[in-house]
Amino acid sequence: MGKTKKRCFIISCIAFLIALFAVRTNIFAAGASISRSTASLSAGETVTLKVQGTAEQAAWSSSREDIASVDRFGKVTAHSAGTATVRAVVRGSGELYKCKVTVADMPRITYRANVEDEDWHGWVGDGETSGHVDGGERLEAIQIALSGENGKAMIQYRAHVSEDGWQNWVNSGQTAGTTYQGKRLEAVQIRLLSVYAKSYDVYYRIYVAGMGWFGWAKNGASAGTTGMSLRTEAIQIKIVKKGTPVETGGVSHLDKPSLSYQAYMKGKGWTEHRNEGEIAGDADGWGQMQALQISLNDFNGANGISYRVYVKNEGWHDWKSGGQPAGTIGQDSMVEAVQMRLEGELSNYFDIYYRVRSFCYDNFGWAKNGEPAGTSGGNIWMNEFQIRLVAKSEQFDVGGAAYKDLTPSVKPEPERTTEIVLQHHMGGYSLKQGSYSAFVSNGVNYGCCAMSYAIGLSIVNRQAYNPTSFWYGGTTHYNKGGVGAGVSPFDAGRVYRALQNGKPTMINYRYKNNTGQHWVLIMGIRGGADINQLTYDDFYAIDPVTGSQVTLTSSSKWGGCTVVGIKVFQ
């Protein structure tokens, strides 16, 4: 009986312990959980998971380490696009918790613009246009947002606003610029932060009224214009993986360059430097200008301006740049006229205007982009000059003629042509269209066009061509290229310049009374013709009817014809 009691006591203790463990386990299972069951990340982002409601540690693992890995503290790092399951197994209880992690290849950027009189436009993304192109309405503000777990903390941007200048940086979803204040958004800067800055580049560009799309700016650089009072009308933004090549397409930001210039006056030397819009020279109107110099501040690594002067008894001097003196110093020679021009990319965005005041001529208008300003040939010296740099989208009143040529009128000897006769390379192929039966349809030979094309190609490419290879389907096919589109009317100067470059011209004319039409090949010009008064009689041609070289006006049925047009070989 004693043994039985002892056995029952032991069994009761075991049962109690099992029950106690079960209760403890159930309490733990009921109170524990994972901090989140799903997570959406972009490559490079991280998120930290936790098992809550228990003091026990968990063992962490990932089903796809290549997509999302996890360390022993539950920190998940996204690597590449796809889906992975992160598991946490609680030590002691063995309880399993899961989080589905979805990784995007890269974050998506969305943005919208507040447009004059139209309020906020809808959200767009990934390089799409927000705003209007040539719509006439200005951008006033923008908002930008990023997808991803940490997107809101990964981007900043700011706007340059008319009257206000650069504003402070704002974060994802906030407004950069102004609304309902009538102010222009003129430029923007956008930058990525933290892990996004290490993994991606952000590109953005601005559409400026009258100038079109600027080039793409990148990672915090300025896009748009500052100091020029120009209207921004649209914006595009995109994100690419770090190091992805992007064609930037030119200048992304313009800040109006500054000009400095001065005049050298006889007996007085150099005047003080003047800035854009100011007058350099002798205000009393009697001083004689002998030289000038102009400097323009750095624009994309280049000075960007050149200029030259017309000097008494010497004519036009060579072009100068970068603050070099143009003219003469210490000699009895006077500057009578000036030309200025912008160079490189600067000329794509600005026009340079300039005007002078000369002795006895004080009402000149503005010259522009290389035009002469002042006088020449009359010994009338310049007293003053003035320069303006104007954006191409701006209107500018030139105010009348800027230049007067006072050179005594002498009729110049006309420039004469040099004889040119281009040689064909048709080899054994006949130059007569009548030699080829393939051109004949219903008793009529239609081969003049294909013949002229084949002979022209042989001149340009120095090889023989079978004329019939260009005739099929009842028409001529220019399947070897080499000839430009048809143009009208006949341009003798253009034909002559082409001959000088070794290129012939096909000419098409309609017979008298519209009884048919014909093609011949112009391949030469006689010598001694007045270049400014060239006529049909001055040109040589190969006529496919005869297969011989003739003067153009001796071609088949030329008399009373009407020229339809020409095709110039390239």
Side-chain angles (χ1 to χ4, degrees):
M1 203 54 188
K3 290 182 178 180
T4 300
K5 289 182 179 180
K6 186 175 181 181
R7 188 178 296 112
C8 289
F9 176 77
I10 293 172
I11 292 173
S12 298
C13 288
I14 292 172
F16 174 77
L17 290 174
I18 292 173
L20 180 63
F21 178 79
V23 170
R24 181 178 182 275
T25 301
N26 288 337
I27 292 174
F28 173 82
S33 64
I34 194 166
S35 57
R36 57 194 303 169
S37 59
T38 62
S40 297
L41 304 175
S42 297
E45 278 192 290
T46 63
V47 65
T48 298
L49 303 177
K50 294 181 180 180
V51 176
Q52 303 166 329
T54 178
E56 299 291 340
Q57 292 185 340
W60 296 89
S61 64
S62 170
S63 65
R64 290 291 302 274
E65 291 282 339
D66 58 323
I67 294 175
S69 60
V70 61
D71 66 12
R72 64 192 184 94
F73 301 108
K75 182 179 179 180
V76 179
T77 301
H79 299 295
S80 60
T83 302
T85 299
V86 173
R87 299 181 177 88
V89 178
V90 178
R91 292 188 174 92
S93 70
E95 289 294 326
L96 172 65
Y97 301 96
K98 300 178 181 179
C99 176
K100 181 181 179 181
V101 179
T102 302
V103 180
D105 187 46
M106 57 191 303
R108 184 171 188 267
I109 191 165
T110 56
Y111 45 94
R112 64 176 181 168
N114 188 285
V115 179
E116 173 189 8
D117 298 329
E118 297 182 9
D119 210 334
W120 288 102
H121 281 206
W123 290 90
V124 298
D126 299 329
E128 296 176 322
T129 299
S130 184
H132 297 296
V133 173
D134 288 332
E137 293 82 19
R138 65 176 176 266
L139 295 190
E140 295 186 349
I142 58 170
Q143 292 177 341
I144 306 174
L146 272 180
S147 65
E149 183 72 22
N150 305 302
K152 290 185 178 180
M154 294 297 176
I155 191 167
Q156 288 184 332
Y157 47 99
R158 64 174 181 167
H160 186 280
V161 176
S162 60
E163 304 176 27
D164 297 342
W166 285 108
Q167 297 180 328
N168 293 329
W169 292 91
V170 298
N171 298 317
S172 177
Q174 296 179 321
T175 298
T178 60
T179 55
Y180 315 115
Q181 297 183 36
K183 297 180 180 180
R184 295 180 305 274
L185 185 152
E186 297 178 338
V188 298
Q189 295 173 335
I190 306 173
R191 65 189 182 190
L192 299 175
L193 305 175
S194 188
V195 294
Y196 275 24
K198 296 177 182 179
S199 301
Y200 309 106
D201 294 318
V202 59
Y203 285 85
Y204 42 98
R205 65 175 180 171
I206 292 293
Y207 186 93
V208 178
M211 289 188 171
W213 284 109
F214 278 29
W216 292 91
K218 170 186 175 184
N219 297 343
S222 298
T225 66
T226 49
M228 296 172 61
S229 301
L230 298 181
R231 185 176 68 250
T232 294
E233 294 186 341
I235 186 171
Q236 294 176 340
I237 310 173
K238 61 185 179 181
I239 288 182
V240 301
K241 288 185 177 180
K242 179 69 71 176
T244 300
V246 173
E247 178 60 47
T248 56
V251 174
S252 61
H253 171 255
L254 286 181
D255 188 4
K256 188 174 184 179
S258 62
L259 283 169
S260 175
Y261 45 92
Q262 59 184 151
Y264 188 93
M265 309 303 296
K266 182 179 180 180
K268 297 181 180 180
W270 288 106
T271 64
E272 293 183 359
H273 282 90
R274 301 298 183 189
N275 297 320
E276 182 196 352
E278 296 179 339
I279 295 173
D282 191 345
D284 63 20
W286 294 95
Q288 298 179 6
M289 190 179 302
Q290 294 185 322
L292 57 85
Q293 57 188 24
I294 308 171
S295 296
L296 183 144
N297 72 333
D298 181 77
F299 180 84
N300 270 19
N303 182 268
I305 189 170
S306 58
Y307 46 92
R308 67 173 182 170
V309 295
Y310 185 97
V311 176
K312 172 187 174 182
N313 299 327
E314 298 179 15
W316 287 105
H317 281 204
D318 293 335
W319 289 91
K320 303 294 183 180
S321 63
Q324 297 174 314
T328 60
I329 297 176
Q331 302 178 31
D332 190 22
S333 298
M334 302 172 294
V335 172
E336 298 182 8
V338 64
Q339 292 175 304
M340 305 178 195
R341 66 190 183 193
L342 299 177
E343 306 286 357
E345 289 184 312
L346 186 63
S347 64
N348 295 329
Y349 303 100
F350 294 94
D351 295 314
I352 187 168
Y353 289 86
Y354 44 96
R355 65 178 177 180
V356 308
R357 188 163 71 87
S358 302
F359 181 67
C360 298
Y361 291 89
D362 59 1
N363 60 347
F364 278 130
W366 294 85
K368 170 188 176 183
N369 297 344
E371 299 170 347
T375 66
S376 61
N379 296 331
I380 303 297
W381 61 85
M382 283 173 46
N383 303 126
E384 301 171 341
F385 72 100
Q386 185 180 11
I387 308 176
R388 289 287 310 277
L389 200 60
V390 180
K392 285 190 176 293
S393 60
E394 296 184 76
Q395 300 295 317
F396 191 86
D397 184 5
V398 297
Y403 170 74
K404 190 173 184 64
D405 187 355
L406 302 175
T407 305
S409 179
V410 177
K411 187 175 181 179
E413 180 66 24
E415 186 178 358
R416 303 290 180 178
T417 61
T418 300
E419 184 176 55
I420 300 173
V421 179
L422 302 181
Q423 300 299 314
H424 70 80
H425 298 269
M426 290 294 287
Y429 290 107
S430 173
L431 304 186
K432 294 177 64 175
Q433 64 189 72
S435 301
Y436 302 92
S437 60
F439 294 140
V440 178
S441 177
N442 296 325
V444 179
N445 191 302
Y446 294 97
C448 58
C449 184
M451 290 294 307
S452 298
Y453 178 53
I455 299 169
L457 280 179
S458 79
I459 293 174
V460 173
N461 297 330
R462 299 179 179 275
Q463 68 179 70
Y465 291 93
N466 183 347
T468 61
S469 65
F470 307 121
W471 175 264
Y472 49 89
T475 189
T476 296
H477 296 266
Y478 303 97
N479 51 23
K480 291 292 184 181
V483 68
V487 295
S488 180
F490 181 79
D491 185 342
R494 181 176 180 179
V495 175
Y496 175 54
R497 290 190 295 273
L499 290 171
Q500 288 179 305
N501 292 320
K503 305 299 173 64
T505 297
M506 295 171 62
I507 181 170
N508 177 224
Y509 58 88
R510 188 176 293 113
Y511 299 148
K512 184 179 180 180
N513 298 325
N514 200 25
T515 57
Q517 61 178 340
H518 191 44
W519 286 89
V520 299
L521 182 74
I522 298 175
M523 35 59 69
I525 190 169
R526 71 179 182 87
D530 185 343
I531 287 179
N532 296 315
Q533 299 184 33
L534 295 174
T535 68
Y536 294 126
D537 288 315
D538 296 321
F539 292 95
Y540 302 140
I542 293 179
D543 184 354
V545 169
T546 63
S548 59
Q549 176 182 313
V550 296
T551 60
L552 179 58
T553 52
S554 298
S555 300
S556 301
K557 297 184 181 181
W558 178 272
C561 74
T562 301
V563 173
V564 177
I566 59 175
K567 287 180 176 288
V568 182
F569 279 81
Q570 300 171 338

